[in-house]
Amino acid sequence: MKIVKVRNKEELGKKAAELVTEKVYQLQKPILGLATGSTPETLYENLIRKYKDGKISFNHTTTFNLDEYVGIDKNDSNSYRYYMDHKLFNSIDIKQENTHIPDGLADNLEEECQYYERLIKEAGKIDLQVLGLGLNGHIGFNEPGTPFDKRTHVVELDQSTREANARFFNQMDDVPTQALTMGIGTIMEASEILLLVQGEKKAEILKEVMNGEITEEVPASILQRHPRVTLITDIDI
Ligand code: F6R
């Protein structure tokens, strides 16, 4: 694992944007895997800045997001579709039809997961997958105990994950109990992974992820087996 140490969230965003930009430049039809949450916010701000400065175009880029809540409308400000549209897609030249996020309101969630997997397969391979890290070691919404070979699937969110994300909702009861997520099997097939981890509160779990046993109880520990991971973090490791 390649480690890039930064001082803070701003620098993390800048470094991450440099790597994403490089990838988008290199490839004729880049396919990016994207994450939501607090950590990648400065990445998206920097990508928008680079786009506005004429340094990058996303005209030929396709994206697949990691996850989406079940039961939340895409126009709801808590949906991950809303997050992506407002924090990135609406401010760059990506074609809306090339941006993909699982549909958490699909009538048949299992079919939606299979459809999402098919879309990824048809697109080819994810060239660069951006990941955040949950306090419990999750990547996407693959909670501790999820088999490493899972594809896109429906998950019951851990109480700790719901509590961590409650800050975005009016009250705890509004936080969804389920989500759709790319599986670890899907994530591990990406050619390259960019893991973003910010803030002292993640120091302990990050150490486990990097140096601990590879176990389904710490989902991100599987990244030790991926040949091309870059970690950008402000944590001393
Ligand atoms: C979001 C996602 C999650 C987050 C993780 C960290 O799409 O898949 O795994 O990356 O929960 O979230 P933040 O960055 O808010 O600490």
Side-chain angles (χ1 to χ4, degrees):
M1 192 179 291
K2 187 175 159 202
I3 301 168
V4 179
K5 178 77 197 328
V6 291
R7 276 171 303 185
N8 50 39
K9 191 171 170 179
E10 276 57 49
E11 217 177 280
L12 177 141
K14 274 196 191 131
K15 281 277 167 208
E18 277 168 24
L19 294 184
V20 172
T21 305
E22 217 172 277
K23 186 58 71 183
V24 170
Y25 261 135
Q26 275 168 9
L27 301 167
Q28 277 184 343
K29 289 187 172 178
I31 303 181
L32 301 178
L34 298 178
T36 56
S38 301
T39 316
E41 284 172 345
T42 52
L43 160 63
Y44 300 144
E45 285 163 18
N46 278 280
L47 288 179
I48 292 170
R49 207 166 295 141
K50 280 174 181 285
Y51 165 70
K52 293 202 163 139
D53 288 348
K55 292 188 177 135
I56 186 173
S57 165
F58 296 90
N59 206 12
H60 300 292
T61 300
T62 296
T63 62
F64 288 93
N65 264 76
L66 284 167
D67 39 23
E68 179 59 284
Y69 288 122
V70 167
I72 300 239
D73 188 87
K74 61 178 195 255
N75 297 314
D76 185 315
S77 60
N78 278 311
S79 75
Y80 285 169
R81 164 53 76 182
Y82 186 98
Y83 172 111
M84 289 309 303
D85 283 348
H86 287 81
K87 291 196 190 288
L88 183 65
F89 298 150
N90 289 350
S91 305
I92 57 174
D93 62 344
I94 197 161
K95 296 185 180 114
Q96 184 75 8
E97 66 269 25
N98 289 345
T99 68
H100 305 282
I101 302 182
D103 178 3
L105 279 185
D107 290 337
N108 186 326
L109 295 174
E110 296 299 335
E111 269 176 22
E112 173 63 16
C113 292
Q114 286 164 21
Y115 173 65
Y116 203 64
E117 280 289 321
R118 267 203 314 278
L119 284 179
I120 297 174
K121 214 164 248 152
E122 279 165 22
K125 211 172 204 240
I126 292 179
D127 296 301
L128 180 66
Q129 174 67 59
V130 176
L131 294 178
L133 177 66
L135 279 170
N136 62 1
H138 74 209
I139 43 177
F141 274 138
N142 293 283
E143 303 287 33
T146 308
F148 283 149
D149 60 359
K150 274 271 191 192
R151 316 297 308 183
T152 301
H153 62 290
V154 185
V155 289
E156 299 295 323
L157 294 173
D158 268 11
Q159 186 58 14
S160 66
T161 298
R162 294 184 66 232
E163 279 162 14
N165 290 356
R167 63 190 190 279
F168 300 111
F169 294 82
N170 290 332
Q171 48 182 358
M172 191 60 201
D173 279 354
D174 295 342
V175 186
T177 55
Q178 287 185 313
L180 304 181
T181 184
M182 258 188 221
I184 291 179
T186 323
I187 292 171
M188 287 294 281
E189 282 172 8
S191 304
E192 198 173 339
I193 286 178
L194 182 55
L195 176 63
L196 308 178
V197 186
Q198 194 270 321
E200 231 2 77
K201 63 178 190 298
K202 292 194 181 156
E204 215 173 298
I205 189 68
L206 180 60
K207 278 172 197 149
E208 258 187 81
V209 165
M210 297 194 56
N211 306 318
E213 188 195 341
I214 300 177
T215 162
E216 288 171 353
E217 291 314 309
V218 183
S221 63
I222 190 70
L223 297 175
Q224 292 180 31
R225 293 218 179 109
H226 193 287
R228 291 184 75 193
V229 180
T230 301
L231 163 69
I232 306 184
T233 187
D234 62 351
I235 297 169
D236 283 319
I237 22 167

